[in-house]
């Protein structure tokens, strides 16, 4: 599902696409800004968005084997909640049976 399909799914519940688009954009914007500023965003039953630190390290160029220094960085991280994991697990089992 992409953003347009998500807007369509939400529009069915809230009544129109404009309201659904504004709501989705507001939620995404709020989560992005909160995580970028170092806050953790937890949505009960869904999961948690947070910032993860990746320390500097030495990697290897796969072609030459030469060491390469990789600078430290920060990345967004999502941990699904228990209810979401259960739902995905049940859906995966159903999809597996269809094959």
């Amino acid at each position: 599902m992409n953003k347009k399909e998500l807007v369509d799914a939400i529009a069915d519940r809230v009544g129109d696409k404009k309201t659904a688009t504004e709501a989705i954009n507001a939620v995404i914007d709020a989560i992005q800004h909160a995580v970028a500023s170092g806050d953790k965003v937890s949505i009960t039953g869904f999961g948690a968005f947070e910032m993860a630190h990746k320390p500097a390290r030495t990697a290897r160029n796969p072609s030459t084997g030469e060491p390469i220094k990789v600078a430290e960085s920060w990345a967004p991280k999502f941990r699904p909640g228990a209810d979401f994991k259960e739902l995905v697990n049940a859906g995966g089992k159903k999809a597996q049976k269809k094959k």
Side-chain angles (χ1 to χ4, degrees):
M1 177 180 275
N2 61 29
K3 189 173 178 181
K4 182 186 177 315
E5 293 167 338
L6 181 60
V7 167
D8 291 340
I10 300 297
D12 292 341
R13 295 179 128 188
V14 297
D16 65 294
K17 285 188 180 183
K18 183 179 179 186
T19 304
T21 302
E22 289 173 2
I24 290 169
N25 288 338
V27 168
I28 291 171
D29 187 58
I31 290 171
Q32 287 176 336
H33 283 89
V35 172
S37 67
D39 292 336
K40 179 179 176 181
V41 178
S42 295
I43 302 171
T44 304
F46 182 68
F49 297 89
E50 57 191 323
M51 186 186 298
H53 180 250
K54 296 182 176 186
R57 63 187 174 88
T58 302
R60 293 223 175 261
N61 180 331
S63 300
T64 64
E66 182 180 327
I68 300 170
K69 290 186 179 184
V70 179
E72 77 170 344
S73 63
W74 295 87
K77 178 179 170 184
F78 175 73
R79 287 181 309 134
D83 294 345
F84 189 27
K85 285 181 187 178
E86 264 183 46
L87 186 63
V88 171
N89 189 34
K93 288 178 182 176
K94 287 179 188 175
Q96 191 69 24
K97 287 180 182 178
K98 288 181 183 179
K99 290 183 178 181

